[in-house]
């Protein structure tokens, strides 16, 4: 396979999807031309320019940092069409109208470069029909590429070829989308709505039909079909409101119009309640009402019988809730046998989806793996439908589904295909096994793609039932393991020269046991390895990727010391934490933090003290201790003072001018600011320009190991200990406090907030010394420690800590 060197991408269409796809490509540092029609008034690029401005206002934010909007180049089809020749990939993303797309293709096709890939972002239109009218050469470079909304955050991209698409084009695009853009790519057949929307929307229609049959409320259904089933918290009807009821209706209409021979076709009728809401303009969240409507602070839910909004609060029955906590096989058996309408509803929606995917697997996907990954990554399920079926007992569940079909209880009377009951799948006990995942068309288990890009994924997304997959909690050679940490190496040839440390605490919080394990791992690495990587296997959840690097210090583990010795009893733990961070910083091998998800408080401080950071783009970093009434005390403020001193010395700034180098770090800590991405963390100073940002979380460990190895091979030495750090001193502290007084007196912050912020100012400025005085790291750590212990002794901080432990939410006092 030849490498695809993508220098520039054109996105055709500056609507909701086109503009956000363009924004995420900019996040990935890919230059983009964003095309739209020439504006009838004002600048010719007015439509694209307006779209770019709108991107800055959207939530969730399409850009990793808003200022990156400047790198998105607006264009129009009249003045700039010749620039398409400069682009290696052209993605069309205009409205879902076949005739409009064909009109645009006639205009742009002559200008697309002879080697460029041409792709359409469509949620369900036929890729083959869209390619009609192309010459053979362009047809060979044309395919579908279906991003999910919002493109920055949704992991799934479906890649859809036609019969004429060259295989190498698909391989090149899959590699680019996987590594550069950070997506999970699934190849789908060219059938209406492809895989994820086909199965996902059928699942929604089944929920609507079965809820009506069993007389359940919409909020009751959402409580049953959300996190209790390991699916998105917004469940079914809230998700529909967020997506937009008009969008949902459009996708259903695509299935109605194009699947007339489907045995499930009657199910594709637009539900009357949905049609009614769309007809009156109640399109969900974007219009202020759909299945739900906010009235003041209350969330009301639609009563389908009256058409009125009523008080919410429908919940799962306690009995059904207990059943859902049982193991998969027992859970489905109990749901099926129960006479409770909620249980019968749940069994029915499981059965309906199992029935549907069994019948349609061969027509919509190459194999069962692609169905499961598409639903997990596109709809946020923790396990795909085939995984759920297999986990509950393949043969028994198949028999139950068969019995319901024959009894007329299913949504169609079409039987399950023969491969479900006999042959390799029955023998294996499901569609996923040691040899891969079942393909009915090939009548065999198909292994995973062996594209070189996947060699960067030490752990690929695992499937339940797939034996032989690497388990990140047991893979490799364990050097030592206890209840707090596991230290191990990737024992494949050429990969076993770096020690990997993974925490085992809840949310990967850091207590004394984790600190001891981290120190021991560094000692082992110094004895014969090239480096240490701190990486958490929870960054590979079954559903959608991403997880906590560390939520910070383990407050619960420190509570016994507090109960025994009061605030002063905590000081040894704080000192141990600080000493451990210094051990990380001055280790004789590079310690690399492989960061994803959240890195808060002590997790952020561990990251700051590492020799290098490799961060997944969706990493949220911050020193958030003020939320529990404390100050950062693991060296985070000390590192801020060091970096400010370095920046000031680099330009020869006067000591009195130190505030401008400290301002950002002070505000970050005092306001508990958390970055909205790794890109923003770099702008905030938590990541250095030399740190690496990766876009696919499954590549994080490999990238971090390579960084550690490269640093070692380049002759890594730890930094020399700083003993002459110039600080801002009391004059800068006074300036900061003066602004805090104004905020306190204006009641923007409380008296306790003022106290905490003052202590932060004292720590980053080096305490009560003259401006320009020099101190060492131990002095700065002492200031942090002293402030922490003092604040912990106050009633208001204790109230904040107890509030956080009990409710998980900050207390304002």
């Amino acid at each position: 396979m030849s490498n695809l060197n993508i220098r520039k991408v054109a996105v055709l269409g500056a609507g909701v999807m086109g503009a956000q796809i363009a924004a995420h490509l900019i996040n990935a540092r890919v230059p983009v031309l964003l095309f739209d029609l020439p504006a009838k008034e004002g600048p010719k690029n007015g439509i694209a320019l307006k779209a770019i401005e709108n991107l800055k206002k959207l939530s969730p934010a399409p850009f990793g940092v808003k200022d990156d909007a400047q790198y998105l180049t607006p264009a129009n089809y009249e003045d700039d069409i010749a620039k398409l020749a400069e682009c290696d990939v052209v993605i069309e993303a205009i409205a879902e109208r076949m005739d409009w797309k064909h009109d645009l293709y006639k205009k742009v096709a002559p200008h697309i470069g002879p080697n460029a890939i041409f792709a359409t972002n469509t949620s369900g239109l036929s890729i083959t029909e869209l390619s009609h009218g192309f010459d053979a050469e362009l047809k060979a470079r044309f395919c579908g590429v279906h991003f999910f909304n919002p493109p920055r955050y949704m992991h799934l991209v479906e890649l859809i070829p036609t019969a004429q698409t060259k295989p190498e084009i698909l391989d090149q695009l899959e590699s680019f989308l996987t590594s550069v853009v950070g997506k999970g790519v699934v190849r789908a057949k060219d059938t209406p709505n492809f895989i994820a929307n086909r199965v996902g929307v059928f699942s929604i229609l089944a929920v609507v039909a079965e809820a009506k049959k069993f007389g359940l409320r919409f909020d009751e259904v959402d409580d049953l079909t959300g996190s209790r089933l390991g699916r998105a918290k917004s469940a079914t009807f809230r998700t529909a409101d967020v997506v937009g009821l008009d969008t949902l209706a459009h996708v259903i209409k695509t299935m109605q119009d194009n699947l007339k021979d489907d045995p499930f076709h009657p199910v594709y009728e637009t539900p009357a309640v949905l049609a009614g809401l769309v007809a009156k303009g109640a399109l969900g969240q974007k219009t202020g009402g759909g299945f739900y409507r906010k009235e003041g602070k209350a969330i009301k839910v639609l009563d389908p019988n009256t058409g009125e909004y009523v008080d919410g609060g429908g919940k799962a029955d306690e009995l059904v809730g207990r059943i859902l906590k049982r193991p998969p096989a027992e859970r489905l058996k109990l749901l099926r046998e129960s006479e409770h309408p909620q249980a019968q509803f749940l069994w029915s929606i499981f059965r309906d989806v199992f029935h549907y995917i069994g019948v349609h697997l061969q027509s919509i996907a190459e194999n069962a793996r692609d169905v499961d990954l598409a639903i997990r990554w596109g709809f946020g399920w923790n396990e795909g439908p085939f995984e759920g079926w297999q986990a509950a007992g393949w043969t028994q569940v198949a028999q139950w589904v068969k019995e319901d079909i024959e009894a007329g209880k299913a949504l169609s009377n079409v039987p399950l295909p023969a491969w479900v009951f006999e042959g390799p799948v029955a023998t294996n006990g499901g569609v996923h096994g040691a040899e891969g995942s079942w393909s009915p068309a090939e009548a065999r288990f198909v292994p995973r793609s062996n594209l070189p890009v996947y060699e960067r994924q030490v752990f690929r997304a695992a499937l339940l039932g797939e034996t032989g997959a690497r388990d990140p909690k047991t893979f490799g050679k364990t050097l030592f393991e206890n209840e707090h940490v596991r230290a191990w190496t990737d024992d494949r040839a050429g990969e076993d020269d770096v020690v990997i440390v993974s925490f085992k605490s809840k949310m990967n919080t850091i207590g004394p046991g984790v600190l001891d394990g981290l120190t021991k791992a560094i000692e082992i690495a110094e004895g014969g390895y090239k480096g240490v990587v701190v990486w958490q296997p929870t960054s590979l959840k079954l559903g959608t990727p991403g997880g906590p690097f560390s939520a910070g210090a383990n407050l619960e583990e420190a509570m016994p010391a507090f109960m025994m010795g009061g605030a002063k009893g905590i000081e040894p733990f704080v000192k141990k934490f600080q000493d451990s961070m210094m051990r990380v910083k001055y280790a004789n091998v590079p310690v690399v933090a492989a960061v994803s998800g959240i890195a808060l408080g002590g997790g952020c401080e561990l990251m700051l003290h590492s020799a290098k950071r490799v961060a997944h783009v969706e990493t949220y970093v911050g020193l958030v201790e003020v939320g529990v009434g404390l100050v950062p005390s693991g060296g985070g403020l000390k590192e801020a003072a060091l970096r400010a001193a370095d920046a000031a010395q680099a330009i020869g700034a006067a000591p009195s001018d130190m505030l401008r180098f400290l301002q950002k770090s002070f505000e970050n800590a005092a306001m508990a600011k958390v970055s909205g991405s790794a890109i923003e963390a770099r702008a905030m100073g938590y990541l250095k320009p030399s740190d690496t940002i990766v876009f696919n979380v499954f590549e994080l460990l490999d990238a971090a190991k390579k960084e550690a190895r490269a640093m070692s091979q380049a002759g890594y030495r730890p930094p020399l200990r700083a003993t002459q750090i110039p600080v801002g001193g009391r004059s800068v502290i006074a300036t900061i406090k003066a602004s805090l007084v104004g905020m306190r007196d204006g009641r923007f912050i409380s008296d306790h907030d003022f106290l905490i912020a003052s202590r932060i100012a004292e720590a980053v400025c080096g305490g009560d010394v003259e401006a320009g005085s020099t101190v060492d790291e131990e002095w700065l750590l002492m200031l942090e420690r002293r402030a922490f212990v003092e604040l912990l002794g106050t009633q208001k901080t204790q109230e904040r800590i107890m509030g956080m432990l009990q409710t998980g939410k900050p207390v304002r006092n």
Side-chain angles (χ1 to χ4, degrees):
M1 182 190 76
S2 61
N3 287 325
L4 177 65
N5 181 17
I6 295 183
R7 297 158 297 179
K8 189 179 292 185
V9 172
V11 175
L12 311 181
V16 173
M17 282 301 290
Q20 291 196 66
I21 291 168
H24 190 57
L25 289 168
I26 291 293
N27 289 336
R29 295 305 180 250
V30 178
V32 182
L33 292 172
L34 180 60
F35 278 84
D36 213 300
L37 297 167
K40 293 178 181 176
E41 297 178 359
K44 278 278 193 72
N45 289 331
I47 295 174
L49 284 166
K50 185 177 179 182
I52 294 169
E53 281 303 306
N54 188 52
L55 286 168
K56 300 178 188 177
K57 303 169 189 171
L58 286 182
S59 179
F63 288 110
V65 57
K66 287 181 183 178
D67 288 349
D68 280 356
Q70 65 183 302
Y71 299 116
L72 193 46
T73 304
N76 70 83
Y77 301 121
E78 201 170 280
D79 296 342
D80 306 306
I81 199 161
K83 294 179 181 177
L84 287 173
E86 306 168 5
C87 300
D88 301 296
V89 176
V90 177
I91 301 173
E92 169 271 308
I94 68 169
E96 294 280 279
R97 283 272 300 265
M98 186 78 71
D99 54 342
W100 290 0
K101 289 179 186 281
H102 277 144
D103 287 345
L104 178 61
Y105 296 171
K106 289 173 189 172
K107 185 184 298 184
V108 302
H111 302 278
I112 294 174
N115 298 309
I117 295 174
F118 188 24
T120 174
N121 179 70
T122 173
S123 61
L125 296 180
S126 167
I127 310 303
T128 300
E129 285 187 45
L130 286 170
S131 72
H132 288 167
F134 292 171
D135 61 34
E137 205 274 332
L138 185 55
K139 272 188 179 180
R141 294 183 281 118
F142 183 72
C143 64
V145 54
H146 180 207
F147 285 83
F148 275 63
N149 191 18
R152 172 183 161 188
Y153 301 94
M154 296 302 290
H155 190 61
L156 177 65
V157 171
E158 291 175 314
L159 202 54
I160 313 100
T162 70
Q164 285 74 37
T165 309
K166 285 182 183 176
E168 58 264 33
I169 291 293
L170 296 170
D171 290 349
Q172 290 171 341
L173 197 51
E174 180 169 349
S175 298
F176 170 71
L177 291 166
T178 298
S179 194
V180 178
V181 190
K183 297 304 174 187
V185 176
V186 164
R187 296 198 187 186
K189 292 187 176 180
D190 188 12
T191 55
N193 290 345
F194 314 127
I195 298 174
N197 276 345
R198 178 78 174 270
V199 176
V201 171
F202 172 81
S203 173
I204 292 170
L205 290 169
V207 166
V208 174
E210 302 293 1
K212 183 177 180 181
K213 177 179 174 182
F214 291 101
L216 305 186
R217 292 163 48 116
F218 296 137
D219 53 349
E220 192 178 358
V221 168
D222 275 354
D223 190 54
L224 288 163
T225 61
S227 53
R228 291 179 188 271
L229 297 188
R231 301 179 185 177
K233 190 176 179 181
S234 53
T236 304
F237 296 106
R238 286 188 193 279
T239 297
D241 275 357
V242 171
V243 169
L245 302 190
D246 52 341
T247 302
L248 177 60
H250 170 78
V251 177
I252 294 170
K253 184 76 163 52
T254 302
M255 295 166 78
Q256 282 173 26
D257 294 346
N258 297 288
L259 293 168
K260 295 188 184 298
D261 296 330
D262 189 321
F264 290 88
H265 186 264
V267 183
Y268 304 151
E269 180 181 350
T270 304
V273 63
L274 176 62
L277 287 167
V278 172
K280 64 182 183 182
L283 307 181
Q285 198 171 71
K286 58 189 171 187
T287 60
F291 289 107
Y292 295 89
R293 187 171 74 189
K294 192 170 184 180
E295 295 181 7
K297 292 186 177 180
I299 303 293
K300 302 275 190 170
V301 62
L302 183 70
D303 181 341
N305 297 316
T306 66
E308 301 295 322
Y309 288 91
V310 299
D311 290 337
K315 295 282 186 185
D317 185 273
E318 187 179 339
L319 169 68
V320 175
R322 287 202 300 270
I323 291 175
L324 290 176
K325 293 178 180 178
R326 306 303 300 165
E330 185 181 352
R331 179 171 66 226
L332 281 192
K333 183 176 186 292
L334 291 171
L335 290 174
R336 187 169 186 267
E337 293 175 351
S338 171
E339 295 183 3
H340 194 293
Q342 289 184 356
Q344 283 293 298
F345 159 77
L346 286 168
W347 159 250
S348 297
I349 64 171
F350 280 120
R351 175 205 63 219
D352 294 340
V353 172
F354 296 157
H355 186 193
Y356 192 79
I357 59 175
V359 169
H360 284 301
L361 172 58
Q362 183 165 346
S363 65
I364 66 173
E366 296 294 343
N367 58 70
R369 174 176 53 249
D370 288 342
V371 173
D372 279 343
L373 292 179
I375 292 298
R376 277 163 40 172
W377 293 341
F379 278 77
W381 294 18
N382 275 0
E383 64 179 30
F386 278 118
E387 291 179 282
W389 182 349
Q390 185 163 340
W394 181 269
T395 303
Q396 177 63 78
V397 172
Q399 183 60 35
W400 287 337
V401 174
K402 179 174 181 285
E403 290 172 10
D404 276 15
I405 296 168
E406 292 170 350
K409 295 180 180 179
L411 295 179
S412 170
N413 61 7
V414 62
L416 287 168
W419 62 260
V420 170
F421 298 99
E422 57 195 46
V425 171
T427 302
N428 181 66
V431 291
H432 304 305
E435 297 173 4
S437 296
W438 181 252
S439 168
E442 298 185 39
R444 69 184 182 100
F445 291 94
V446 177
R448 299 239 179 176
S449 167
N450 61 358
L451 285 176
V453 69
Y454 293 115
E455 293 175 7
R456 302 173 196 168
Q457 299 188 8
V458 181
F459 303 102
R460 296 173 73 170
L463 291 159
L464 291 172
E466 180 185 47
T467 57
R470 296 171 187 154
D471 182 345
K473 294 184 178 179
T474 58
F475 174 71
K477 177 185 176 183
T478 299
L479 302 177
F480 72 87
E481 184 172 11
N482 55 37
E483 63 183 297
H484 305 289
V485 302
R486 177 181 180 233
W488 55 283
T489 61
D490 181 340
D491 59 355
R492 295 174 297 162
E495 295 290 334
D496 59 354
D497 53 356
V498 174
V499 176
I500 303 161
V501 186
S502 301
F503 303 168
K504 297 169 68 176
S505 50
K506 184 179 179 182
M507 298 292 284
N508 299 320
T509 51
I510 305 171
V514 168
L515 294 172
D516 288 340
L518 181 58
T519 300
K520 183 175 178 181
I522 291 170
E523 289 170 356
I524 290 172
E526 289 175 334
Y529 293 85
K530 290 182 176 174
V532 174
V533 168
V534 182
W535 174 83
Q536 313 298 9
T538 46
S539 62
L540 303 177
K541 289 195 304 181
L542 280 177
T544 49
F549 174 70
S550 174
N554 191 329
L555 287 177
E556 290 187 65
E557 205 170 325
M559 287 308 289
F562 175 72
M563 299 303 291
M564 292 284 290
K568 289 292 288 183
I570 296 290
E571 190 164 5
F573 170 62
V574 179
K575 181 70 165 64
K576 183 185 184 77
F577 200 112
Q578 292 179 339
D579 291 345
S580 299
M581 294 305 100
M582 294 290 276
R583 184 73 177 92
V584 167
K585 182 173 182 176
Y586 293 108
N588 285 314
V589 293
V591 178
V592 177
V595 194
S596 72
I598 57 172
L600 304 178
C604 173
E605 289 170 317
L606 171 56
M607 191 187 86
L608 289 173
H609 285 84
S610 297
K612 190 155 192 175
R613 289 140 290 278
V614 178
H616 179 233
V617 66
E618 297 305 333
T619 299
Y620 312 109
V621 184
L623 295 170
V624 296
E625 284 82 355
V626 297
V628 287
L630 295 168
V631 299
S633 60
L637 300 180
K638 178 260 297 180
E639 287 297 301
L642 269 169
R643 293 183 184 189
D646 288 344
Q649 286 180 318
I651 63 168
S656 58
D657 200 25
M658 187 68 79
L659 179 59
R660 67 185 172 109
F661 302 100
L662 286 167
Q663 188 76 36
K664 185 192 295 184
S665 296
F666 168 74
E667 289 178 359
N668 288 344
M671 299 171 70
K673 288 183 178 180
V674 176
S675 72
S677 67
I679 301 168
E680 189 176 18
R682 180 179 278 163
M684 293 170 69
Y686 287 129
L687 293 180
K688 293 182 177 180
S690 57
D691 289 331
T692 301
I693 295 176
V694 299
F695 276 69
N696 196 315
V697 73
F698 292 100
E699 296 182 6
L700 184 65
L701 176 56
D702 182 68
K705 286 199 301 170
K706 284 174 177 169
E707 290 285 2
R709 194 173 291 128
M711 293 172 77
S712 174
Q713 290 170 345
Y716 176 79
R717 295 291 304 165
L720 296 172
R721 292 184 180 256
T723 58
Q724 301 289 315
I725 307 164
V727 292
R730 64 176 72 94
S731 60
V732 177
I733 295 170
T735 303
I736 294 173
K737 283 187 176 180
S739 65
L740 292 173
V741 166
M743 295 177 71
R744 181 194 61 192
D745 293 350
R747 308 317 299 164
F748 295 107
I749 61 174
S750 69
D751 289 342
H752 200 55
D753 291 327
F754 175 84
L755 176 62
I756 298 164
S758 297
R759 294 295 176 266
I760 291 172
E762 290 160 7
V764 297
C765 292
D768 188 17
V769 297
E770 292 291 333
S773 298
T774 59
V775 299
D776 60 14
E777 287 183 274
E778 288 302 328
W779 172 265
L780 294 170
L781 289 170
M782 178 275 294
L783 292 175
E784 285 185 14
R785 199 163 61 244
R786 188 172 67 188
F788 184 95
V789 172
E790 177 198 332
L791 288 166
L792 186 57
T794 65
Q795 181 179 344
K796 288 189 179 295
T797 284
Q798 291 168 19
E799 289 170 359
R800 290 191 183 190
I801 292 171
M802 293 309 298
M804 181 64 75
L805 291 175
Q806 290 168 4
T807 68
K809 296 178 181 178
V811 174
R812 306 312 306 165
N813 59 2

